[in-house]
Amino acid sequence: MGETLKIGMLCMLTAFMFSCGNSDSNYEPLPKTVDFNFHIRPILVQNCYLCHGPDPSSRKAELRLDTYEGATAELKEGGFAVVPGKPSKSQLMFRINHEHEDKIMPPPETNSKLAQREKDLLEKWIKQGAQWKPHWSFIKPDLDKADQEANIDEFVDRQLEQKDLIKAPIANKNTLIRRVAYLLTGLPPSPKEIETYSLDTSEEAYEKMVDHYLNSPAYGERWARHWMDLVRYAETKGHEFDYAITGAWKYRDYLIKAFNEDVPYDQFLKEHLAGDLLAEKRFDEETGVLQSQIATAFYAMGEGTHSPVDIKQDEANRIDNMIDVTTKTFQGLTVSCAKCHDHKFDPITAADYYAMYGIMESTRFTPLDADQSVSKELTAKEILDINNYVKTTVAKKITDGISGQVASNKVSDSDETSKYKVIGDFRNTDFDGWATTGLAFGDATTLGNPVLNTSSGKLLSLEDGKASSKTLGPGILGTLRSPDFILDADFIGVRARGELSTIRIIVDNFQLIQWPIYGGLTQSVSNAKWNNYKFNVEPWKGHKAYIEILPGGYDQHNFKLPPNAFIEAQYAISYNAEWPKEVETIDEEPSSEYFSADEITTFNAGIKSGKTNLRFPELLKAIDSSEGLSETLKSDLFIYGVSDGSGTDSPVFIRGRYQEPSEENIPRRFLSALPQGNEPFQSNGSGRLELAEAMLHKDNPLTARVMVNRIWHHLFGKGIVETVDNFGLQGKLPSHPQLLDHLAIKFEEEGWSVKKMIKYIVTSEAFKRSTSNDLAPSDKDPDNIFLASFPIRRLESEAIRDGILAASGSLNTEFYGPPIPTYLTEFMGGRGKPEESGPLDGAGRRSIYQEVRRNFLEPMMTTFDRPIPFTTFGRRDVTNVPAQSLILMNDPFVIQQSEIMAQKLLDEKNMSFDQRVDWIYMRMFSRKPSAKEIENASKFMDAIKQMKGGDGMDEKIDLEVWKEYCHSIFNLKEFIYLI
């Protein structure tokens, strides 16, 4: 007995000594091979990088532990921080194990102390050779042979076995269909869909059910809303007056269609970054409407200020937001952290940031025809062909008669010309280096176009050269823009005429032009006679600018194009003091088909004097057909997208201040730490298409990883990398790194199909598990990181609201179209408030179709954590606050829908009490109630009847009672959670 006691005491003492020497009570065995990324770097980042990391401003003792070269360099006091293979000779191990406060690392004042396991990991890592690696996300996905044939469950089960976790059973059918329906479509399953799935006993039943929801149009609505969080989708600009973003809802419809049609993600990415530049355009198969360019509207979703005092700083802020959203969304990197200095944690330099700055600075915002189509492009070509035929026919007949008759008699007045500078001259055949978007201006000026009498075909004149937006007819969209130039004179002048059109001077890409500061930079053109439009730009001398000429205009910054709008321009100049008496044109040599400006002047004089009398009756039919075709080119639906401007390389702004530019400009390029990142873009424009191609380079490790991680996040409620928008050093490590690589490789190999990836994930056992796992203690994995069970998750705000509408039978399943105006409560006020409120129930439309006004955000959506749209939010907050319960209890919308549901229930005749409760539960929870729940319902109803003072025979009281019951069910957690 005594010997046994002594042995027992010895065992206890040994255990006590071991636990005292190990501060980590959950000490796990060390891995066979210690990996720098997954075991060592987190320790160094947390405890060492503040003083010995990449930031030189905070570095101490000239010691860097973030690089191999720095950690193995000789220390000032002698020795080496790390001696690969020899932990006993490494000062790092000496200092972290030291007990004296002057020697121990991390220092006591940091309140950071290494656990014993962390010390052991460092020691074993050094013993194994102290291998440094690039950050894991910058290493191309790669799998060993054993993993190349594995599937999702093999990767997940491997972790569960390692952690000794027991898997939960597969969930029941009611749970599964509710889970799949909500996660794939954002709507609950209908009772009929539940019955169909429940009665299907085939092995393919689950897969058929998944396919049903993947092919539902509601799928696109659900996944489009996820994407809208990334691009800070809104329909207004915010700031003081909350101005509209032209055609934002057309971008929303684009997203819905793209997800429903399963547009490959590589194409989807290219359309977003450079949809206006793609050689191969994508048109909607049913309508023929051009889709590619609509995606570029995401650039215009940012907030906008309309009277910034510092216009250059405003541009820097806007571009910073564009860089932030673009890089987080597509690369999962916080590139904007390098605005003022090299990134403190990630291999992103300030030069990288300003290389991208140049890309965005070279991008111009412009209205685009939201209904641009194949047929419109063909029609425009047909009209231009007709016009060219008419022009060529006339030219061939008269060229011999006038060729060589005219010699220019203009004498250059050097003194006069020195007083102005020509920015653009359209009196010859081309646009003098200016760029056009849309169809309106055609491909050349009007120089030499014949004007015929529409009755007789008599040649009345040849047109002088000018840029004309009615080349194809009035009311057709198009813009004419100058190259960028530096404002170096007091005035800009444009010689123009037109109807209901606009000329704007865009300084530093500033778009929301209006008084009190910038109103003079835009002028409306509504004069049939030639007029000199004068702009005082003296306050902005030294700034970058371009001139924009377009039919139509901006009503409260919302672009509109009347059917009779057009604009024509002869030239644009900059000058000081007075408009010059004459602006000379440089006469071009005539071609075989066209004439010089001087020749046309002489020829027209001959017609006027009666010397020339020609008729072309055979051309009248062609001209008539051209005019008829032009009507089909008109549109009243526009989006605010982008086009290319002048290629501009930006300097680095020292400390982020544009007032302190570096001497050298940074060529536009991709991030230097990624493939092709050091190769300057070659295009003369922005380089956005090259940016897209660099992101999709086969060796880029991020693009596919980031997207499959987003898909996983939306299905499981947490990404394999939890920080879905940050794959950098400050982001979380992947919980299943090999699984993430497996998904990324599969995503690319299977054609970047989002639907295929979703189906692959939701048909896994990991996805189908129950949320309840009573077989294993949760302290081994309290956050369910390793997925022994399916995570319990709350529905998003849109799914809650849409679920209420679906349950009550009020859901309007109409697709697409303009947004439903925001319902304005009595507490919603301020500048920019709409004149009229939308309906309380949003016309029964899904939440994705409700207007998103930055200054008047819908309270229910905000309360249930829909993010405020100012940057990328790939992961929404999931809060549990009293305001959410108050919304469900008191919001007029919820009360209204409760009454509607109760009335529809009572309209179902010959139903027993139990059947009524069953009817409600099936719509609310996708299951039948238990006997206890029916009993509780009966007690609740009796209590409500007593409160209402009725006996249940009064129809009005009956409606009130069932309304209260439905309302109470909406307030149960099971309604807003997937359990």
Side-chain angles (χ1 to χ4, degrees):
M1 181 71 175
E3 189 66 26
T4 303
L5 181 61
K6 286 170 67 178
I7 293 172
M9 290 294 290
L10 182 61
C11 291
M12 290 176 64
L13 180 62
T14 302
F16 176 74
M17 290 173 65
F18 178 77
S19 64
C20 288
N22 175 19
S23 60
D24 186 356
S25 59
N26 293 317
Y27 190 97
E28 291 183 22
L30 298 181
K32 184 177 180 181
T33 302
V34 180
D35 184 271
F36 178 74
N37 271 315
F38 295 99
H39 304 121
I40 302 304
R41 196 196 298 271
I43 301 172
L44 300 180
V45 169
Q46 185 69 28
N47 300 282
C48 309
Y49 275 14
L50 183 62
C51 301
H52 305 296
D55 184 10
S57 64
S58 61
R59 193 179 301 141
K60 296 181 180 178
E62 298 180 11
L63 171 62
R64 290 189 68 170
L65 293 177
D66 61 312
T67 66
Y68 176 84
E69 293 77 13
T72 57
E74 187 172 4
L75 300 170
K76 287 195 301 184
E77 64 271 21
F80 303 86
V82 173
V83 180
K86 299 178 180 179
S88 61
K89 293 188 176 182
S90 300
Q91 285 293 309
L92 175 65
M93 296 308 303
F94 173 74
R95 298 295 289 271
I96 65 175
N97 286 309
H98 211 286
E99 295 183 357
H100 196 280
E101 63 180 20
D102 290 339
K103 295 287 186 181
I104 191 171
M105 288 290 167
E109 61 266 22
T110 64
N111 294 319
S112 182
K113 188 176 182 180
L114 294 183
Q116 186 59 45
R117 185 173 189 274
E118 292 175 321
K119 295 177 182 179
D120 293 345
L121 280 168
L122 287 166
E123 182 177 5
K124 187 171 183 178
W125 169 66
I126 294 174
K127 187 179 293 184
Q128 291 180 343
Q131 181 187 14
W132 261 260
K133 290 182 179 179
H135 184 57
W136 70 268
S137 68
F138 290 89
I139 301 172
K140 185 180 177 181
D142 188 29
L143 296 173
D144 58 33
K145 288 185 178 180
D147 288 339
Q148 286 174 4
E149 301 299 323
N151 59 34
I152 289 174
D153 292 311
E154 290 176 71
F155 289 109
V156 173
D157 290 351
R158 192 182 303 166
Q159 294 272 36
L160 295 177
E161 291 170 10
Q162 183 180 335
K163 304 291 181 184
D164 194 26
L165 295 167
I166 300 175
K167 294 185 287 188
I170 300 298
N172 62 53
K173 278 194 164 187
N174 291 80
T175 298
L176 286 176
I177 191 171
R178 187 170 194 263
R179 181 183 300 172
V180 170
Y182 263 118
L183 294 181
L184 267 57
T185 69
L187 293 171
S190 68
K192 184 177 181 180
E193 290 168 338
I194 297 169
E195 182 182 13
T196 299
Y197 177 53
S198 298
L199 295 177
D200 189 344
T201 57
S202 68
E203 292 184 0
E204 300 81 23
Y206 180 80
E207 186 175 343
K208 284 192 289 184
M209 182 263 290
V210 169
D211 286 338
H212 169 73
Y213 289 115
L214 279 174
N215 293 321
S216 165
Y219 159 83
E221 295 171 322
R222 165 73 170 180
W223 288 81
R225 183 57 249 188
H226 290 325
W227 191 264
M228 288 155 72
D229 283 0
L230 302 179
V231 297
R232 76 284 192 226
Y233 178 86
E235 278 138 355
T236 59
K237 282 286 186 183
H239 197 224
E240 286 188 79
F241 296 102
D242 214 19
Y243 293 117
I245 299 172
T246 301
W249 62 272
K250 295 294 290 187
Y251 170 74
R252 173 250 289 155
D253 286 356
Y254 157 87
L255 290 176
I256 295 170
K257 291 176 183 177
F259 279 105
N260 274 333
E261 294 171 9
D262 200 24
V263 172
Y265 182 68
D266 57 343
Q267 175 71 17
F268 185 76
L269 181 151
K270 284 189 285 189
E271 290 179 359
H272 272 75
L273 297 183
D276 57 309
L277 302 175
L278 296 179
E280 294 185 13
K281 302 175 181 179
R282 184 174 67 86
F283 296 89
D284 186 274
E285 291 183 1
E286 293 183 6
T287 64
V289 171
L290 177 62
Q291 297 295 296
S292 314
Q293 67 175 6
I294 299 177
T296 66
F298 98 95
Y299 286 114
M301 292 291 167
E303 297 173 278
T305 52
H306 55 75
S307 290
V309 175
D310 189 337
I311 197 170
K312 183 66 177 175
Q313 184 60 55
D314 184 72
E315 179 187 36
N317 293 341
R318 282 183 279 107
I319 290 177
D320 180 62
N321 180 253
M322 292 165 68
I323 293 172
D324 188 44
V325 169
T326 301
T327 55
K328 281 180 178 175
T329 297
F330 296 105
Q331 299 297 281
L333 293 176
T334 55
V335 173
S336 281
C337 291
K339 175 172 62 174
C340 304
H341 45 68
D342 290 350
H343 202 297
K344 288 183 179 292
F345 298 98
D346 298 336
I348 300 167
T349 64
D352 289 336
Y353 177 86
Y354 287 98
M356 294 203 71
Y357 192 100
I359 296 171
M360 302 306 171
E361 189 179 4
S362 307
T363 298
R364 293 179 175 177
F365 292 96
T366 184
L368 300 170
D369 184 356
D371 287 334
Q372 183 69 11
S373 62
V374 175
S375 63
K376 281 189 177 183
E377 291 190 359
L378 292 175
T379 299
K381 184 179 183 304
E382 187 176 352
I383 294 173
L384 289 175
D385 287 345
I386 291 171
N387 291 350
N388 192 53
Y389 164 70
V390 171
K391 186 175 184 178
T392 302
T393 301
V394 172
K396 283 180 178 178
K397 192 167 184 179
I398 65 176
T399 299
D400 294 338
I402 67 170
S403 179
Q405 288 183 10
V406 180
S408 177
N409 56 6
K410 292 182 180 177
V411 178
S412 175
D413 184 344
S414 59
D415 181 59
E416 181 69 24
T417 57
S418 66
K419 295 179 181 178
Y420 69 90
K421 183 189 298 182
V422 176
I423 299 174
D425 189 348
F426 318 120
R427 291 170 293 180
N428 289 305
T429 57
D430 61 28
F431 295 123
D432 199 16
W434 288 41
T436 64
T437 59
L439 302 174
F441 288 92
D443 53 11
T445 70
T446 61
L447 184 69
N449 286 351
V451 179
L452 302 179
N453 182 291
T454 55
S455 300
S456 64
K458 179 181 177 181
L459 179 62
L460 302 178
S461 67
L462 295 177
E463 288 198 66
D464 294 327
K466 58 186 176 296
S468 175
S469 75
K470 59 177 182 179
T471 294
L472 306 178
I476 297 171
L477 178 64
T479 55
L480 179 65
R481 294 190 183 87
S482 73
D484 287 345
F485 58 92
I486 300 299
L487 294 169
D488 57 2
D490 290 345
F491 299 100
I492 296 290
V494 180
R495 178 80 169 165
R497 69 183 181 187
E499 183 72 26
L500 299 170
S501 294
T502 306
I503 303 171
R504 304 201 301 169
I505 312 300
I506 309 295
V507 181
D508 293 327
N509 281 320
F510 180 65
Q511 299 289 321
L512 299 183
I513 300 171
Q514 70 175 61
W515 299 106
I517 302 176
Y518 305 101
L521 293 176
T522 184
Q523 292 190 41
S524 60
V525 178
S526 284
N527 194 331
K529 296 181 178 180
W530 288 107
N531 192 31
N532 296 335
Y533 292 88
K534 179 178 177 181
F535 299 82
N536 185 347
V537 294
E538 190 272 335
W540 299 283
K541 272 188 174 180
H543 286 253
K544 173 184 82 270
Y546 65 87
I547 303 170
E548 178 182 77
I549 299 173
L550 73 166
Y554 297 89
D555 179 9
Q556 295 293 298
H557 303 293
N558 190 19
F559 181 76
K560 295 182 179 179
L561 180 58
N564 58 330
F566 77 93
I567 189 167
E568 296 180 325
Q570 289 183 329
Y571 57 80
I573 57 173
S574 64
Y575 64 98
N576 293 302
E578 297 298 324
W579 192 293
K581 292 179 182 178
E582 183 179 359
V583 176
E584 295 184 5
T585 183
I586 300 173
D587 217 6
E588 294 182 337
E589 289 295 324
S591 68
S592 58
E593 296 180 351
Y594 303 106
F595 320 107
S596 71
D598 284 340
E599 287 174 335
I600 286 173
T601 301
T602 301
F603 185 75
N604 285 339
I607 294 177
K608 193 172 183 181
S609 64
K611 293 178 181 179
T612 304
N613 187 4
L614 297 174
R615 296 177 185 273
F616 298 89
E618 72 276 14
L619 298 178
L620 293 179
K621 187 174 182 180
I623 293 171
D624 286 343
S625 66
S626 172
E627 291 175 354
L629 289 170
S630 69
E631 287 298 313
T632 65
L633 300 179
K634 295 184 178 183
S635 179
D636 58 0
L637 290 174
F638 309 98
I639 60 166
Y640 210 51
V642 302
S643 64
D644 249 10
S646 306
T648 301
D649 292 335
S650 173
V652 171
F653 298 162
I654 309 302
R655 292 183 291 276
R657 287 171 44 83
Y658 76 85
Q659 298 91 339
E660 298 181 53
S662 62
E663 292 184 4
E664 295 184 358
N665 291 344
I666 306 300
R668 284 159 291 124
R669 56 171 173 76
F670 193 36
L671 304 176
S672 57
L674 293 172
Q676 294 189 316
N678 286 314
E679 299 179 18
F681 294 160
Q682 300 301 312
S683 66
N684 294 324
S686 65
R688 287 179 287 113
L689 184 56
E690 288 163 285
L691 175 64
E693 290 167 347
M695 286 188 182
L696 293 167
H697 190 275
K698 60 183 179 62
D699 292 327
N700 185 344
L702 288 168
T703 304
R705 269 198 189 119
V706 168
M707 187 55 186
V708 296
N709 188 64
R710 293 193 188 286
I711 295 170
W712 188 276
H713 163 79
H714 291 309
L715 295 173
F716 282 93
K718 182 185 292 186
I720 296 173
V721 178
E722 188 176 345
T723 51
V724 294
D725 301 324
N726 189 355
F727 274 48
L729 215 62
Q730 288 186 299
K732 293 288 185 71
L733 289 170
S735 57
H736 301 76
Q738 289 81 18
L739 172 58
L740 181 62
D741 283 0
H742 163 69
L743 295 175
I745 293 169
K746 187 178 180 67
F747 189 46
E748 288 193 56
E749 289 179 346
E750 294 189 350
W752 302 88
S753 168
V754 174
K755 278 192 177 182
K756 284 182 181 179
M757 181 53 58
I758 292 173
K759 182 174 180 179
Y760 179 55
I761 294 172
V762 300
T763 52
S764 68
E765 182 187 311
F767 179 86
K768 292 188 282 186
R769 288 187 188 124
S770 169
T771 57
S772 175
N773 192 354
D774 300 327
L775 301 175
S778 62
D779 59 356
K780 289 183 180 179
D781 184 19
D783 296 324
N784 195 24
I785 292 171
F786 301 106
L787 301 176
S789 58
F790 187 82
I792 295 175
R793 52 175 304 184
R794 203 200 69 205
L795 297 174
E796 297 92 340
S797 53
E798 296 89 347
I800 293 171
R801 179 184 171 278
D802 295 351
I804 291 173
L805 287 170
S808 71
S810 302
L811 183 67
N812 177 352
T813 57
E814 181 183 347
F815 287 93
Y816 312 129
I820 306 301
T822 300
Y823 173 73
L824 300 172
T825 71
E826 59 185 301
F827 304 104
M828 297 167 72
R831 288 182 172 181
K833 181 179 179 179
E835 293 181 2
E836 296 182 3
S837 171
L840 174 62
D841 68 345
R845 299 289 301 280
R846 290 195 68 174
S847 301
I848 194 171
Y849 299 113
Q850 306 303 307
E851 191 175 40
V852 183
R853 301 188 67 89
R854 276 193 163 94
N855 288 3
F856 301 91
L857 296 171
E858 210 281 327
M860 184 176 188
M861 296 293 105
T862 304
T863 302
F864 280 99
D865 304 313
R866 186 171 73 184
I868 296 172
F870 65 88
T871 188
T872 294
F873 285 96
R875 182 183 64 170
R876 292 186 180 187
D877 292 333
V878 182
T879 60
N880 186 9
V881 295
Q884 293 167 354
S885 296
L886 292 171
I887 284 279
L888 291 175
M889 286 192 290
N890 302 312
D891 191 276
F893 165 74
V894 183
I895 295 170
Q896 176 200 59
Q897 295 305 309
S898 300
E899 182 171 351
I900 291 172
M901 187 172 189
Q903 185 61 63
K904 289 188 176 178
L905 170 65
L906 294 176
D907 289 343
E908 297 282 340
K909 303 302 182 184
N910 302 319
M911 289 178 67
S912 66
F913 178 84
D914 289 9
Q915 288 173 326
R916 286 179 171 180
V917 177
D918 182 273
W919 187 91
I920 292 171
Y921 265 67
M922 191 59 74
R923 281 155 181 78
M924 296 274 202
F925 306 138
S926 306
R927 65 174 178 84
K928 292 185 177 182
S930 65
K932 183 65 176 175
E933 286 168 329
I934 293 176
E935 181 185 342
N936 289 339
S938 179
K939 292 178 181 178
F940 177 88
M941 302 288 271
D942 290 341
I944 295 296
K945 285 177 185 177
Q946 291 181 4
M947 289 173 58
K948 300 290 182 182
D951 58 5
M953 300 299 292
D954 188 318
E955 288 186 6
K956 196 169 184 181
I957 293 295
D958 214 17
L959 177 61
E960 280 293 310
V961 169
W962 282 104
K963 174 185 130 182
E964 293 295 339
Y965 180 68
C966 290
H967 192 188
S968 70
I969 298 297
F970 279 134
N971 278 268
L972 293 180
K973 289 295 183 185
E974 187 178 351
F975 180 73
I976 63 172
Y977 279 83
L978 294 178
I979 299 175

